[in-house]
Amino acid sequence: MARLSGKTAIVTGASRGIGKAAAERLAREGAGVCLLDMNEEGLTRCYDELSGHGYSLLKVTADVTNREEVDAAFAEAASHFGTVDILVNNAGIIRDNLFFKMTEDDWDTVLNVHLKGTFYCSQAAQNYMVKQSYGRIINISSTSALGNRGQANYATAKAGIQGFTKTLAIELGRYGITVNAIAPGFIETEMTRATAERIGVAFDDFAISRAAEIPVRRSGKPGDIANAVVFFALEDSSFVNGQVLYVAGGPKT
Ligand SMILES: NC(=O)c1ccc[n+]([C@@H]2O[C@H](COP(=O)([O-])OP(=O)(O)OC[C@H]3O[C@@H](n4cnc5c(N)ncnc54)[C@H](O)[C@@H]3O)[C@@H](O)[C@H]2O)c1
């Protein structure tokens, strides 16, 4: 079923993990998808792989913390596809450290990518969305927004994304634009692999121990989040606005 045919999506951080899965699911639903990432090599690999399925895709290399690159990327996507209907603010990084050891650079880098990046991309998107009186902005938060040891920077950024989401929902709803957030729990990606490596635990053991704490007794996969992205992206979801959906196998894991 192509429930998003005729729609155009931009997914940031699309070269791997959750972003790649979201891009794939949106494309499978018929959307034209602009894959945006700062990792040119990863982006090309992802683009080549997904293109093999016959999807309508564009790849643009851009750093979401660079306003000129963001604006140019959105202009390129809009000129290629004709519109920008859906934005998934997914690009993200971690720089975990206990608070007493956290450097100013750890703090600034994480807040910049998650908060400033989401701000730049959403502002670029709303230029197109307000004119066409239609849009779907989907922001990727995290269960870490509720607090997580070693993640003062990341938790702050992910909680900030929730406030940003609700505020934009209030401001942009009158233009046919909905703004929602997804807060994933533990998802198996390169990001969580890096965490396992940092603490010196084999990834499989790490995933098993995390799964034991999750009510559904399994870890999340990128497709679990892509599924929620599609729900918010649908035209039919027009009365769902300003919500944060925890997709974590339980209420708070
Ligand atoms: N994996 C999890 O358990 C988990 C849980 C909660 C939330 N999240 C969030 O989901 C999102 C995706 O996470 P993931 O696990 O797929 O991570 P990942 O590290 O596998 O992928 C992140 C992608 O973002 C890109 N990126 C990073 N900084 C960028 C920048 N400045 N500009 C453009 N692209 C940039 C990277 O190149 C990479 O392709 C992130 O926002 C992350 O915080 C992940």
Short mmCIF file of all heavy atoms in Angstrom, two decimals, residues 13 15-18 37-39 62-64 90-93 113-114 140-142 154 158 184-187 189-192, ligand 1:
data_model
loop_
_atom_site.label_atom_id
_atom_site.label_comp_id
_atom_site.label_asym_id
_atom_site.label_seq_id
_atom_site.Cartn_x
_atom_site.Cartn_y
_atom_site.Cartn_z
N GLY A 13 20.33 12.34 9.04
CA GLY A 13 21.04 11.19 9.63
C GLY A 13 20.56 9.90 9.00
O GLY A 13 20.40 8.88 9.67
N SER A 15 21.91 7.88 6.72
CA SER A 15 22.80 6.89 6.10
C SER A 15 22.82 5.55 6.83
O SER A 15 23.28 4.57 6.27
CB SER A 15 24.21 7.46 5.94
OG SER A 15 24.88 7.47 7.17
N ARG A 16 22.34 5.50 8.05
CA ARG A 16 22.36 4.22 8.78
C ARG A 16 21.34 4.25 9.92
O ARG A 16 20.71 5.28 10.17
CB ARG A 16 23.76 3.95 9.32
CG ARG A 16 24.18 4.94 10.39
CD ARG A 16 25.62 4.75 10.80
NE ARG A 16 25.84 5.33 12.11
CZ ARG A 16 27.03 5.52 12.68
NH1 ARG A 16 28.13 5.16 12.01
NH2 ARG A 16 27.14 6.03 13.88
N GLY A 17 21.22 3.12 10.59
CA GLY A 17 20.41 3.04 11.81
C GLY A 17 18.96 3.43 11.62
O GLY A 17 18.30 3.05 10.64
N ILE A 18 18.46 4.19 12.58
CA ILE A 18 17.04 4.56 12.60
C ILE A 18 16.69 5.43 11.38
O ILE A 18 15.62 5.25 10.77
CB ILE A 18 16.73 5.31 13.92
CG1 ILE A 18 16.84 4.34 15.10
CG2 ILE A 18 15.35 5.96 13.87
CD1 ILE A 18 16.81 5.00 16.48
N ASP A 37 22.73 13.42 5.17
CA ASP A 37 23.69 12.99 6.21
C ASP A 37 25.00 13.73 5.97
O ASP A 37 25.30 14.14 4.84
CB ASP A 37 23.91 11.48 6.14
CG ASP A 37 24.35 10.88 7.48
OD1 ASP A 37 25.49 11.17 7.92
OD2 ASP A 37 23.56 10.13 8.10
N MET A 38 25.80 13.87 7.02
CA MET A 38 27.12 14.50 6.84
C MET A 38 28.18 13.48 6.43
O MET A 38 29.25 13.85 5.98
CB MET A 38 27.55 15.23 8.12
CG MET A 38 27.85 14.31 9.28
SD MET A 38 28.19 15.22 10.82
CE MET A 38 29.64 16.14 10.38
N ASN A 39 27.86 12.21 6.60
CA ASN A 39 28.80 11.14 6.26
C ASN A 39 28.59 10.73 4.79
O ASN A 39 27.71 9.94 4.47
CB ASN A 39 28.57 9.96 7.21
CG ASN A 39 29.43 8.76 6.87
OD1 ASN A 39 30.06 8.69 5.81
ND2 ASN A 39 29.46 7.80 7.78
N ALA A 62 25.10 16.98 4.00
CA ALA A 62 25.01 18.25 4.74
C ALA A 62 25.17 17.97 6.23
O ALA A 62 24.80 16.90 6.72
CB ALA A 62 23.66 18.93 4.48
N ASP A 63 25.73 18.96 6.91
CA ASP A 63 25.86 18.92 8.37
C ASP A 63 24.69 19.72 8.94
O ASP A 63 24.56 20.91 8.61
CB ASP A 63 27.22 19.54 8.74
CG ASP A 63 27.45 19.60 10.24
OD1 ASP A 63 26.50 19.45 11.02
OD2 ASP A 63 28.62 19.82 10.62
N VAL A 64 23.86 19.11 9.77
CA VAL A 64 22.67 19.82 10.25
C VAL A 64 23.02 21.01 11.15
O VAL A 64 22.16 21.84 11.43
CB VAL A 64 21.67 18.89 10.98
CG1 VAL A 64 21.10 17.85 10.03
CG2 VAL A 64 22.27 18.25 12.22
N ASN A 90 16.31 13.38 12.68
CA ASN A 90 16.83 12.16 13.29
C ASN A 90 18.33 12.21 13.58
O ASN A 90 18.82 11.49 14.44
CB ASN A 90 16.50 10.99 12.35
CG ASN A 90 17.29 9.74 12.68
OD1 ASN A 90 16.95 9.00 13.60
ND2 ASN A 90 18.37 9.49 11.93
N ALA A 91 19.08 13.06 12.85
CA ALA A 91 20.55 13.07 13.00
C ALA A 91 20.90 13.25 14.47
O ALA A 91 20.33 14.09 15.17
CB ALA A 91 21.16 14.20 12.18
N GLY A 92 21.84 12.45 14.95
CA GLY A 92 22.20 12.57 16.36
C GLY A 92 23.54 11.95 16.67
O GLY A 92 24.07 11.15 15.91
N ILE A 93 24.07 12.37 17.80
CA ILE A 93 25.34 11.82 18.29
C ILE A 93 25.27 11.70 19.80
O ILE A 93 24.39 12.30 20.44
CB ILE A 93 26.53 12.75 17.94
CG1 ILE A 93 26.30 14.16 18.49
CG2 ILE A 93 26.81 12.79 16.45
CD1 ILE A 93 27.58 14.95 18.60
N VAL A 113 24.13 19.47 17.70
CA VAL A 113 23.58 18.54 16.69
C VAL A 113 22.08 18.34 16.92
O VAL A 113 21.28 18.49 15.99
CB VAL A 113 24.33 17.18 16.70
CG1 VAL A 113 23.65 16.20 15.74
CG2 VAL A 113 25.79 17.38 16.32
N HIS A 114 21.70 18.04 18.15
CA HIS A 114 20.30 17.70 18.40
C HIS A 114 19.39 18.93 18.38
O HIS A 114 18.33 18.90 17.76
CB HIS A 114 20.15 16.96 19.73
CG HIS A 114 20.78 15.62 19.72
ND1 HIS A 114 20.15 14.51 19.20
CD2 HIS A 114 22.00 15.20 20.12
CE1 HIS A 114 20.95 13.47 19.31
NE2 HIS A 114 22.09 13.85 19.86
N ILE A 140 13.09 13.09 16.57
CA ILE A 140 13.50 11.90 17.34
C ILE A 140 14.10 12.34 18.68
O ILE A 140 15.18 12.94 18.73
CB ILE A 140 14.49 11.02 16.55
CG1 ILE A 140 13.90 10.64 15.16
CG2 ILE A 140 14.81 9.77 17.36
CD1 ILE A 140 12.61 9.84 15.17
N SER A 141 13.35 12.06 19.74
CA SER A 141 13.80 12.32 21.11
C SER A 141 14.42 11.02 21.64
O SER A 141 15.08 10.29 20.88
CB SER A 141 12.61 12.79 21.95
OG SER A 141 12.96 12.96 23.30
N SER A 142 14.21 10.71 22.89
CA SER A 142 14.77 9.49 23.49
C SER A 142 14.18 9.29 24.87
O SER A 142 13.79 10.27 25.53
CB SER A 142 16.29 9.63 23.62
OG SER A 142 16.82 8.58 24.41
N TYR A 154 23.04 14.77 26.54
CA TYR A 154 22.08 14.12 25.63
C TYR A 154 20.65 14.17 26.20
O TYR A 154 19.70 14.46 25.47
CB TYR A 154 22.55 12.68 25.43
CG TYR A 154 21.77 11.84 24.45
CD1 TYR A 154 21.97 11.97 23.08
CD2 TYR A 154 20.86 10.87 24.90
CE1 TYR A 154 21.29 11.16 22.18
CE2 TYR A 154 20.18 10.06 24.01
CZ TYR A 154 20.40 10.21 22.65
OH TYR A 154 19.72 9.40 21.76
N LYS A 158 17.53 15.89 24.41
CA LYS A 158 16.35 15.11 24.03
C LYS A 158 15.09 15.61 24.75
O LYS A 158 13.97 15.51 24.21
CB LYS A 158 16.59 13.62 24.30
CG LYS A 158 17.64 12.98 23.36
CD LYS A 158 17.31 13.23 21.89
CE LYS A 158 18.02 12.25 20.95
NZ LYS A 158 17.76 12.56 19.52
N PRO A 184 12.58 6.88 21.35
CA PRO A 184 12.93 5.45 21.34
C PRO A 184 13.61 5.04 22.64
O PRO A 184 14.31 5.84 23.27
CB PRO A 184 13.93 5.33 20.18
CG PRO A 184 13.82 6.60 19.39
CD PRO A 184 13.39 7.65 20.39
N GLY A 185 13.44 3.75 22.97
CA GLY A 185 14.23 3.14 24.05
C GLY A 185 15.49 2.56 23.42
O GLY A 185 16.05 3.15 22.48
N PHE A 186 15.91 1.41 23.90
CA PHE A 186 17.16 0.80 23.41
C PHE A 186 16.95 0.19 22.02
O PHE A 186 16.17 -0.74 21.86
CB PHE A 186 17.62 -0.29 24.38
CG PHE A 186 18.89 -0.96 23.94
CD1 PHE A 186 20.12 -0.37 24.15
CD2 PHE A 186 18.85 -2.18 23.29
CE1 PHE A 186 21.29 -0.98 23.73
CE2 PHE A 186 20.02 -2.81 22.86
CZ PHE A 186 21.24 -2.21 23.09
N ILE A 187 17.64 0.76 21.04
CA ILE A 187 17.52 0.28 19.65
C ILE A 187 18.91 -0.18 19.18
O ILE A 187 19.91 0.51 19.41
CB ILE A 187 17.04 1.42 18.71
CG1 ILE A 187 15.79 2.12 19.26
CG2 ILE A 187 16.78 0.88 17.30
CD1 ILE A 187 14.54 1.28 19.36
N THR A 189 21.70 -0.22 17.03
CA THR A 189 22.29 0.56 15.92
C THR A 189 23.78 0.75 16.21
O THR A 189 24.27 0.35 17.27
CB THR A 189 21.65 1.96 15.80
OG1 THR A 189 22.03 2.73 16.94
CG2 THR A 189 20.15 1.93 15.67
N GLU A 190 24.45 1.44 15.31
CA GLU A 190 25.87 1.75 15.52
C GLU A 190 26.05 2.60 16.78
O GLU A 190 27.08 2.52 17.45
CB GLU A 190 26.44 2.52 14.32
CG GLU A 190 26.50 1.73 13.03
CD GLU A 190 27.29 0.44 13.17
OE1 GLU A 190 28.37 0.48 13.78
OE2 GLU A 190 26.82 -0.60 12.69
N MET A 191 25.04 3.41 17.11
CA MET A 191 25.14 4.27 18.29
C MET A 191 25.22 3.42 19.57
O MET A 191 26.05 3.65 20.44
CB MET A 191 23.94 5.23 18.35
CG MET A 191 23.99 6.22 19.49
SD MET A 191 22.60 7.36 19.50
CE MET A 191 23.15 8.63 18.38
N THR A 192 24.34 2.41 19.68
CA THR A 192 24.36 1.58 20.89
C THR A 192 25.54 0.61 20.85
O THR A 192 26.06 0.23 21.89
CB THR A 192 23.00 0.86 21.08
OG1 THR A 192 22.54 0.36 19.82
CG2 THR A 192 21.96 1.79 21.65
N1 LIG B 1 19.88 3.79 19.06
C1 LIG B 1 19.17 4.08 20.14
O1 LIG B 1 19.05 3.26 21.07
C2 LIG B 1 18.47 5.42 20.24
C3 LIG B 1 17.59 5.60 21.31
C4 LIG B 1 16.93 6.82 21.44
C5 LIG B 1 17.12 7.81 20.50
N2 LIG B 1 17.99 7.61 19.47
C6 LIG B 1 18.14 8.71 18.52
O2 LIG B 1 17.80 8.26 17.23
C7 LIG B 1 18.55 8.99 16.25
C8 LIG B 1 19.29 8.03 15.35
O3 LIG B 1 20.13 7.23 16.15
P1 LIG B 1 20.90 5.93 15.63
O4 LIG B 1 20.95 5.00 16.77
O5 LIG B 1 20.34 5.49 14.33
O6 LIG B 1 22.36 6.56 15.46
P2 LIG B 1 23.54 6.30 14.40
O7 LIG B 1 24.77 6.79 15.07
O8 LIG B 1 23.52 4.90 13.91
O9 LIG B 1 23.14 7.26 13.18
C9 LIG B 1 23.16 8.65 13.32
C10 LIG B 1 23.32 9.27 11.94
O10 LIG B 1 23.30 10.69 12.10
C11 LIG B 1 24.33 11.24 11.29
N3 LIG B 1 24.76 12.53 11.84
C12 LIG B 1 25.35 12.77 13.03
N4 LIG B 1 25.61 14.08 13.17
C13 LIG B 1 25.16 14.69 12.03
C14 LIG B 1 25.17 16.04 11.58
N5 LIG B 1 25.69 17.02 12.32
N6 LIG B 1 24.63 16.30 10.38
C15 LIG B 1 24.12 15.31 9.60
N7 LIG B 1 24.11 14.02 9.98
C16 LIG B 1 24.62 13.71 11.18
C17 LIG B 1 25.45 10.21 11.36
O11 LIG B 1 26.36 10.37 10.27
C18 LIG B 1 24.66 8.91 11.28
O12 LIG B 1 24.44 8.49 9.96
C19 LIG B 1 19.47 9.93 17.04
O13 LIG B 1 18.86 11.19 17.17
C20 LIG B 1 19.54 9.25 18.39
O14 LIG B 1 19.87 10.16 19.39
C21 LIG B 1 18.66 6.44 19.31
#
